[in-house]
Amino acid sequence: MKGYWRQRSWIIVGFFGVVATLAAGVWTYGYRQALDQLGLRAEADLALASDRLSTQLQIYQELAVLTATHPGLRGLDNSPEMQAQANTLMVAIADKTGALDVAFADRNGRVLAAAQGLAGQDLSQTPYFERALQGALGTHHEVMPQTGRRAYFYAAPAFEPDGPVRGVLIVVADLEDVEQTWRGSLPPVFFTDDTGEVFISNRPELLFWQREAGQIGLGPATGDAPAFASVDVGEHEIWQLNWGPHVPRAGLHTTVSLPQIGMTGEIIVDVAPAARIAGLQAAALAALCLAFGALLFLASERRRALALANADLESRVADRTRVLQDTNVQLRREVTEREEAEAALKRAQADLVQAGKLSALGQMSAGISHELNQPLMAIQQFADNGAAFLDRGRSEKAGENLGRISDMAARMARIIKNLRAFARNESEPMGKVDLVHVIDTVVELTATHLKAEGVALHWSRPLTPVYAWGGEVRLGQVFVNLINNAVDAMADADNKQIEIAVHGGDRLQVIVSDTGPGIEEPEKIFDPFYSTKAVGSSEGMGLGLSISYGLVQSFGGNIRGANTDQGAVFTVELEPFGKEQAA
C-alpha cells in the first residue's frame, strides 16, 4: 500500500509541473496577443490625438497667413496713427480667435503693432522670425516669460507688391486652451520636442519631463528622475512607471512623428487589461487541467474501489435479481387484474349512465304517451274531416286539413327524434355543442311532465348560439336530471317555478333554480345513492345528481348546488368551445 501511494505522489507532482508549464505558455501567448490588439488601439488613439492637436494649431497657422495680407498693416513704419489702428486690429483678432498675442514686426524685427505681450520687443534674433524673413512659415514653442504660459508661435511673411518681405505677422497660440478640449479623454498622451521635453500633454503631471541623453527614463529638467524602466515584449515597448494615480504603472509606449509641428507624439496605454486577459486564459487552462486531473484521479480511485467491491456485488445482484423476478411476476398479475377491474368499472359506469337515462324516460313516460296520443287523435280527426270535405267538393278545406296532419306528423317526429337521441348510448367523442339547442330540446322533452305537475318554466333563451365543449346527449341528460329533481322537490310547494339562464365569460355557466324547499345537505347532494325521497319509491335511487356530476367533470367542467331565499340553485360550469379545441 505504501508503494502504491508513493507512486501516486510522484505522478501528482509531475502533473502539477506540466500544468504550471502549460499555464505559463498560455499566459505568454495570450499576453502577446492582447498586446497586439492593445498596440492597434494605442496607434489609433495617438493618431486621433495628433490629428486633433494639428487641426487646432492649424487654425492659428491659417490665421497668421491670412492676417499677413491685411491692408491695415501697410505703412506702419512712420505713422503713429496707423500703428494705433493696427494695435486695435491686433486686439480684435486676438479676442475673436482666443490667441495669446497677435503682432506685426518690420524687417528689422521691431514690433510695430501687437495685441499685448510682444509690443515693443525686438524679434530679430528669434528663429521663427528669421525663417519668416526667408519667405517661409516660421514656428516655435516656448514658455512666455511675461505670463508663464506655454505658447506656440506662427510667423508668416508679409510680401511687398514687387516681391521682397516687408514684415512678419506673428500669431501666438495658447497651448493650455488647446489642451482643454481633449484633456483626460484619452490614455496619457504627450508631445515632445527635439530635446525630449514634454511640452503638450493631456496629463498636467507629465509637463516638462524630459528624457535626457544617455538615460532610459523621463525626468524633470531639475531634480531626480521618477521610477522608470523599459522592457521589450516582442515588438512592443513596455514602460514600468510610478508617475502618479492618473498614469498607468505599466503601459505600452507608442510614438508617431509630427514634422508639421516639429514634435513627436507619444502615448502610454495601460497593459493591465492585457495581463488580466492572459491571466484569465492561463487560469482557465490550469483550472481545466486540474479538474480533468482530479476527475482522472477520482475515476481511477473509484475504479479501484469498484474492482474490490465487484465480487461481493455480483453475488448480491444475483440474489436481488431472483427476488425482483418474483416481484415482477406478481406485479404483472396485479396489473392485469387492475386493468380488468378498470374495464369492468367503465362498463358499469356506462351502464349506470344509460340506466339514469332510462329512469328519466320512465318518469316522463306518461307525459310522452300523452304528447304522442294527442297528435294521433288530431291526425285521425283531421283525416276524417278532410275526407268529408273531399266528398263535398271543398278541396281547399281538405288541403288545410292535410297541412294540419303534416304539422302534427312533424311534431311527433321531432318528439320521437329527441327521445331516441336522449335514450341512445352515446359513444361519440366530445366536441362543439350548442347549449341553447340542448336546453331547447330538454325543455321540449320535459314540457309534459312540467305541465302535469303544474310547474312554470322560465327559460331566458339567448338570441345567438352559445357553444360549449362536451357531448350533446350527455349534456341533455344532465339538464333533464336537474329539471326532474327540481319538479320532484317542489311536489308540495304552492309556487312552482323553474328558471334557466346562461351566462358567458371565461367559463360558461348554466344556472337552474327552483322555488322548492332547498337542499337539506348540500355537501352530500352529489354522493351516489343519496336521496331525500322515500326508500323504495319509484322516483329514483339517488343516482341522478351523481351521474350528472360525473358527466360534467368528464367535460372539464364543474357542477355545484346551493340554497337561496326562494329554494335551490344548481350552477353548471362548462369550458367554452375555442379555436385551440377546434384545432
Side-chain angles (χ1 to χ4, degrees):
M1 183 63 70
K2 290 183 178 180
Y4 170 79
W5 284 111
R6 186 180 299 110
Q7 182 182 6
R8 283 298 177 111
S9 299
W10 280 111
I11 293 175
I12 292 172
V13 171
F15 176 76
F16 276 108
V18 172
V19 170
T21 302
L22 287 175
V26 168
W27 187 92
T28 302
Y29 178 78
Y31 185 61
R32 293 197 176 191
Q33 290 291 321
L35 286 181
D36 291 340
Q37 298 298 322
L38 204 62
L40 295 176
R41 174 192 161 192
E43 292 175 0
D45 288 345
L46 182 57
L48 176 63
S50 301
D51 290 344
R52 187 179 298 176
L53 176 63
S54 299
T55 301
Q56 290 175 299
L57 290 179
Q58 187 177 3
I59 296 173
Y60 297 100
Q61 173 185 333
E62 294 173 354
L63 176 64
V65 173
L66 293 174
T67 308
T69 61
H70 196 284
L73 301 179
R74 298 180 180 275
L76 301 181
D77 295 344
N78 300 313
S79 175
E81 181 179 353
M82 291 293 292
Q83 290 180 5
Q85 293 178 359
N87 285 333
T88 303
L89 175 64
M90 299 294 104
V91 171
I93 294 175
D95 289 342
K96 293 178 180 180
T97 60
L100 277 178
D101 203 354
V102 181
F104 184 80
D106 60 13
R107 288 182 53 83
N108 298 320
R110 182 168 56 91
V111 176
L112 301 179
Q116 47 182 350
L118 295 180
Q121 293 188 24
D122 183 4
L123 306 180
S124 60
Q125 302 301 318
T126 57
Y128 58 90
F129 180 81
E130 293 178 355
R131 181 168 176 78
L133 283 181
Q134 298 172 5
L137 181 68
T139 60
H140 179 63
H141 64 274
E142 67 177 27
V143 177
M144 297 187 70
Q146 299 91 340
T147 61
R149 301 179 71 87
R150 290 173 291 121
Y152 198 90
F153 294 77
Y154 281 104
F159 297 96
E160 293 285 359
D162 54 355
V165 176
R166 62 180 176 83
V168 176
L169 192 284
I170 300 97
V171 175
V172 183
D174 186 0
L175 292 181
E176 292 185 13
D177 185 59
V178 171
E179 292 172 343
Q180 291 297 327
T181 60
W182 50 280
R183 178 169 294 172
S185 61
L186 293 169
V189 178
F190 52 92
F191 297 88
T192 58
D193 55 20
D194 52 2
T195 66
E197 183 182 50
V198 177
F199 200 74
I200 305 173
S201 177
N202 63 349
R203 298 293 191 274
E205 58 266 35
L206 299 181
L207 292 174
F208 306 119
W209 287 355
Q210 183 177 15
R211 192 182 337 193
E212 300 176 357
Q215 294 186 354
I216 58 169
L218 291 179
T222 59
D224 299 330
F228 172 87
S230 177
V231 179
D232 291 333
V233 179
E235 300 177 353
H236 306 287
E237 182 182 8
I238 307 299
W239 283 8
Q240 303 294 333
L241 311 169
N242 186 17
W243 293 353
H246 303 298
V247 180
R249 300 183 67 86
L252 186 146
H253 176 247
T254 302
T255 63
V256 63
S257 178
L258 302 174
Q260 65 271 29
I261 61 174
M263 293 188 178
T264 299
E266 304 184 42
I267 189 170
I268 302 173
V269 180
D270 192 1
V271 297
R276 282 196 298 269
I277 292 173
L280 288 175
Q281 292 174 343
L285 176 67
L288 184 63
C289 292
L290 291 176
F292 182 70
L295 289 176
L296 285 179
F297 179 79
L298 292 175
S300 63
E301 288 299 308
R302 182 175 179 82
R303 182 177 180 183
R304 179 172 173 270
L306 289 174
L308 294 175
N310 187 50
D312 181 56
L313 285 176
E314 285 182 355
S315 61
R316 294 173 63 184
V317 167
D319 295 339
R320 185 61 176 169
T321 300
R322 286 192 297 270
V323 174
L324 289 176
Q325 287 175 348
D326 296 339
T327 305
N328 191 31
V329 172
Q330 183 178 357
L331 287 175
R332 288 180 180 177
R333 188 182 301 112
E334 291 179 357
V335 168
T336 302
E337 293 175 355
R338 180 165 295 183
E339 289 177 349
E340 293 175 353
E342 189 174 326
L345 177 61
K346 289 182 178 179
R347 289 193 298 270
Q349 288 175 339
D351 294 341
L352 188 60
V353 171
Q354 190 66 15
K357 293 181 185 179
L358 297 178
S359 175
L361 286 175
Q363 293 181 15
M364 298 185 295
S365 59
I368 294 171
S369 299
H370 176 74
E371 285 292 316
L372 292 177
N373 189 46
Q374 185 179 14
L376 284 173
M377 294 177 63
I379 288 172
Q380 183 180 3
Q381 183 67 37
F382 286 132
D384 294 340
N385 292 340
F389 284 131
L390 288 175
D391 291 340
R392 298 175 186 176
R394 299 179 64 181
S395 58
E396 69 281 358
K397 287 291 186 180
E400 291 178 5
N401 281 268
L402 290 175
R404 293 179 179 178
I405 291 172
S406 176
D407 293 340
M408 292 296 177
R411 178 182 175 188
M412 292 176 63
R414 187 171 65 253
I415 294 173
I416 294 171
K417 177 183 176 183
N418 291 336
L419 288 173
R420 290 178 61 188
F422 182 76
R424 74 172 183 263
N425 191 1
E426 185 187 38
S427 60
E428 300 172 347
M430 293 189 296
K432 182 179 180 181
V433 177
D434 183 2
L435 275 179
V436 178
H437 174 71
V438 170
I439 298 176
D440 284 343
T441 302
V442 170
V443 170
E444 188 173 10
L445 283 174
T446 58
T448 304
H449 187 199
L450 294 171
K451 183 177 180 181
E453 297 295 331
V455 178
L457 188 142
H458 304 284
W459 162 218
S460 301
R461 188 180 189 278
L463 299 179
T464 57
V466 179
Y467 295 108
W469 177 256
E472 182 174 348
V473 175
R474 285 174 283 177
L475 273 178
Q477 182 177 357
V478 170
F479 296 120
V480 166
N481 287 341
L482 292 178
I483 293 175
N484 285 338
N485 280 351
V487 172
D488 294 340
M490 295 186 295
D492 300 327
D494 296 332
N495 180 23
K496 300 180 180 182
Q497 295 190 31
I498 297 176
E499 293 187 3
I500 303 176
V502 176
H503 300 286
D506 293 338
R507 285 174 70 87
L508 299 176
Q509 291 185 342
V510 181
I511 300 176
V512 180
S513 58
D514 59 49
T515 57
I519 305 171
E520 184 176 347
E521 295 178 290
E523 68 277 1
K524 296 183 179 180
I525 193 68
F526 297 111
D527 291 347
F529 303 107
Y530 174 80
S531 176
T532 58
K533 303 169 186 175
V535 177
S537 68
S538 61
E539 294 181 352
M541 300 178 293
L543 293 174
L545 289 179
S546 178
I547 293 172
S548 299
Y549 183 83
L551 291 175
V552 175
Q553 289 283 327
S554 69
F555 303 148
N558 188 30
I559 182 172
R560 60 181 183 272
N563 290 317
T564 64
D565 296 338
Q566 290 80 22
V569 59
F570 286 86
T571 303
V572 179
E573 293 184 351
L574 297 169
E575 292 287 341
F577 184 83
K579 294 182 179 180
E580 64 279 358
Q581 292 166 326

